[in-house]
Amino acid sequence: MPRSAPRRRLLPLLALGAAAALLPGLTALPVSAAPQPDTESAPPARFTHQTPDWKRCGSDTPARFRCATIKVPLDYRDPDGTTIDLAISRIGARDAGKRRGVLLSNPGGPGGPGLDLPLALSKDMPRSVTDRYDLIGFDPRGIGRSAPVTCGLTPAERQWPRHYRPFGPNVGWAKTVADKCRARTGDRLAHITTRNTARDMDVLRAVLGEQRISYFGVSYGTALGAVYTQLFPRRADRFVLDSAVDPKLMWRKMFQVWGPEAEPAFARWTRWTAGHASTYRLGKTPAEVSATFWGLVERADRDPIVVGTEKLTGTDIRAFLRREFFTVRSAAELVALLRDAAAGEPVPEFPSAPENPDDLVSALWTVVCGDAPAPRDPETYRRDSVRDAARYPLFGDFASNINPCAFWDRPVEPVTRVDNSVGTLILQNEWDSQTPLSTARGMHRALKGSRLVTVDEGEGHGVAYGMAAGPVNRCAQDTATAYLVTGRLPAKDVTCRAAPGAGRTQQASPAFG
């Protein structure tokens, strides 16, 4: 699978030094539980006996970074039917004498390609981990080089945050996206799901000749990892879930949680900004800071604020800044910029949302809408948006608004109910805009054998191994390293202090990152 150019990384990656000494206070816990009712059997034999043809991934990548392609069923209910190609990659363990097995990984999304992730992790993980594991990457089905779905969406249709609008106009956008994806993707559409990607991971496990897999998943990747533990509990070894989805909220409720979670983040921001009144001049008390922000929103709804080439309405401001309020310094800088622009002062360009490629956005909706049913009646979304606008003024109306799942075909399988005792480690910042602390706690409850590492006052989406938006938190990362190396989870949940300095949000996919 030669490659002519480096692939785009979904998340920014920070070079990390060697890990500190392993942490004390660890205890051995069982890595698997008695199979639950949803447990599946071994993958179809015709797929487990494949021999990957490993080749150098590209002339611009290290020789030890190898790529291959394997076959998996499009529909696991019909294993003798249509197959699709799954693009996989590998960097072998550095020390054959210490090698434990394979560490699969997923960078998030849904929609994030993972083929290049071993390259990043090989730099960001300490030698104590890379000595012991083959780092395995793959593009999940429907993504990247694994039978990608593309719906032919226009740039405007791909800019999901731009569709944070009053209810009415969103209905046409949501239906158009669903209709285009159905027309362009056809029969494949129903089978690009988290559940099937977890099955693909188990085929990959078997092809690699492993009895069990270890795993590092970020954001959406935590949902994928949790579904794997549910379907294949005896094949899950050491699982680290960074910035966790609540599996009971997949997926509409995961969007809706952004409404209530924005309110305490905003309140924290007003307190912090009032404490830095001399720097930002937005108010000397939290109430004054809040009044400044809402005054700008009201002004922009009457007369858009011009920032460079952008004309921002109050709706635009609320939509964009919801995420920023979780990283207080970033939000203060942006609100101060808006204040100056509203006063007619020269200001820098307002940061614009990244242009998301068609394949990323198409995969996002394909997975989200294929995993779980959503309400069909647009009136449900209108009613919820009106209700949540009053409850959660910053973002509630947006979070409950309609999306393409309202017009999607019904999922072909039931939602996977995650409820098992597989040993896992969950890493979570307290102030995470995409997967809030409350959803990590939901994952912790669903995975009864898990331990939760919370970074107190930690900001941003992503915690460990180059996925952090801000400074690396050594306490959290070293806890993860200790678990991957020894297999011992902490004896109880862990609280780490945030590293000095406020983080900034990172560019990620349009959903959970």
Side-chain angles (χ1 to χ4, degrees):
M1 187 188 302
R3 304 180 316 154
S4 58
R7 292 166 54 90
R8 174 182 59 84
R9 288 178 178 174
L10 179 67
L11 300 172
L13 301 165
L14 305 177
L16 307 183
L22 299 183
L23 301 183
L26 305 177
T27 183
L29 289 179
V31 297
S32 62
Q36 304 292 321
D38 215 14
T39 300
E40 298 205 346
S41 57
R46 64 177 289 216
F47 298 100
T48 62
H49 293 79
Q50 301 176 76
T51 302
D53 182 16
W54 294 105
K55 297 178 180 178
R56 185 171 180 171
C57 292
S59 59
D60 59 336
T61 59
R64 60 195 296 261
F65 181 43
R66 314 296 285 180
C67 288
T69 300
I70 63 173
K71 300 286 186 183
V72 293
L74 174 63
D75 182 354
Y76 278 86
R77 301 169 305 171
D78 181 20
D80 296 323
T82 302
T83 64
I84 58 175
D85 290 339
L86 192 74
I88 62 175
S89 62
R90 178 179 68 184
I91 294 178
R94 292 179 179 271
D95 188 332
K98 295 180 180 177
R99 183 185 181 277
R100 176 175 179 81
V102 296
L103 180 72
L104 275 65
S105 55
N106 180 274
L115 199 64
D116 279 358
L117 194 51
L119 272 179
L121 295 180
S122 69
K123 299 173 184 176
D124 297 323
M125 285 180 162
R127 282 291 300 259
S128 58
V129 175
T130 59
D131 279 351
R132 287 168 168 80
Y133 294 97
D134 296 347
L135 303 180
I136 305 296
F138 66 102
D139 283 347
R141 60 170 53 209
I143 297 165
R145 299 183 178 218
S146 297
V149 296
T150 54
C151 300
L153 305 178
T154 67
E157 290 161 352
R158 297 197 299 265
Q159 290 300 318
W160 179 38
R162 294 297 188 187
H163 293 280
Y164 290 140
R165 290 290 183 269
F167 173 75
N170 269 26
V171 178
W173 162 77
K175 188 175 188 305
T176 296
V177 171
D179 289 346
K180 283 189 171 184
C181 290
R182 187 181 299 109
R184 186 64 89 82
T185 308
D187 293 342
R188 283 190 300 144
L189 197 65
H191 306 295
I192 310 299
T193 65
T194 301
R195 193 177 177 98
N196 277 335
T197 298
R199 291 167 172 143
D200 294 342
M201 288 169 56
D202 203 53
V203 171
L204 178 53
R205 172 202 59 78
V207 168
L208 295 174
E210 300 291 331
Q211 294 297 312
R212 295 191 295 179
I213 61 170
S214 294
Y215 177 79
F216 175 63
V218 185
S219 194
Y220 163 76
T222 68
L224 175 60
V227 169
Y228 185 91
T229 67
Q230 188 65 33
L231 298 182
F232 310 104
R234 294 193 181 281
R235 297 170 206 161
D237 191 6
R238 300 170 185 179
F239 272 48
V240 176
L241 307 181
D242 185 333
S243 306
V245 165
D246 184 341
K248 291 184 179 179
L249 302 185
M250 294 164 57
W251 285 110
R252 186 182 181 225
K253 290 181 179 179
M254 272 300 302
F255 293 125
Q256 286 184 293
V257 81
W258 290 349
E261 291 291 347
E263 298 300 316
F266 179 79
R268 171 178 177 258
W269 172 76
T270 64
R271 294 191 298 271
W272 186 91
T273 304
H276 294 77
S278 61
T279 301
Y280 300 105
R281 297 179 291 110
L282 295 172
K284 296 181 179 179
T285 67
E288 290 179 358
V289 173
S290 178
T292 298
F293 172 75
W294 286 110
L296 288 168
V297 169
E298 292 169 7
R299 147 70 201 275
D301 274 333
R302 294 192 309 269
D303 181 18
I305 298 174
V306 178
V307 183
T309 58
E310 295 274 353
K311 289 186 176 181
L312 301 174
T313 67
T315 298
D316 294 326
I317 292 169
R318 289 194 296 126
F320 188 89
L321 284 177
R322 189 278 309 181
R323 185 168 177 167
E324 299 296 324
F325 285 126
F326 287 79
T327 50
V328 289
R329 179 173 288 116
S330 176
E333 292 170 354
L334 290 172
V335 175
L337 183 152
L338 288 169
R339 176 207 57 213
D340 294 345
E345 298 180 19
V347 297
E349 285 279 349
F350 198 73
S352 59
E355 182 171 328
N356 299 305
D358 184 30
D359 56 349
L360 188 154
V361 179
S362 299
L364 160 70
W365 292 122
T366 300
V367 173
V368 166
C369 302
D371 274 356
R376 312 293 285 182
D377 185 359
E379 175 61 20
T380 299
Y381 299 89
R382 188 202 65 79
R383 184 176 60 247
D384 290 353
S385 292
V386 170
R387 177 200 66 201
D388 288 347
R391 288 179 173 177
Y392 317 115
L394 180 62
F395 202 74
D397 49 346
F398 301 143
S400 288
N401 212 335
I402 199 166
N403 66 54
C405 299
F407 300 100
W408 216 263
D409 293 341
R410 288 291 186 182
V412 297
E413 293 190 274
V415 175
T416 304
R417 179 174 177 267
V418 176
D419 181 15
N420 63 64
S421 298
V422 173
T424 53
L425 187 71
I426 303 167
L427 311 178
Q428 184 66 39
N429 279 327
E430 182 179 5
W431 297 103
D432 183 329
S433 61
Q434 305 307 98
T435 55
L437 178 57
S438 64
T439 68
R441 288 170 173 163
M443 179 70 83
H444 188 25
R445 289 190 295 270
L447 297 175
K448 296 174 175 58
S450 64
R451 294 289 184 265
L452 175 62
V453 179
T454 303
V455 183
D456 181 47
E457 290 296 312
E459 293 184 337
H461 189 49
V463 177
Y465 303 130
M467 298 302 178
V472 174
N473 188 277
R474 291 295 179 186
C475 166
Q477 183 165 288
D478 291 349
T479 303
T481 295
Y483 171 53
L484 288 173
V485 171
T486 69
R488 296 191 178 102
L489 287 165
K492 58 183 180 179
D493 292 344
V494 175
T495 299
C496 298
R497 290 183 176 273
R504 287 182 176 273
T505 52
Q506 58 195 15
Q507 302 294 352
S509 77
F512 307 103

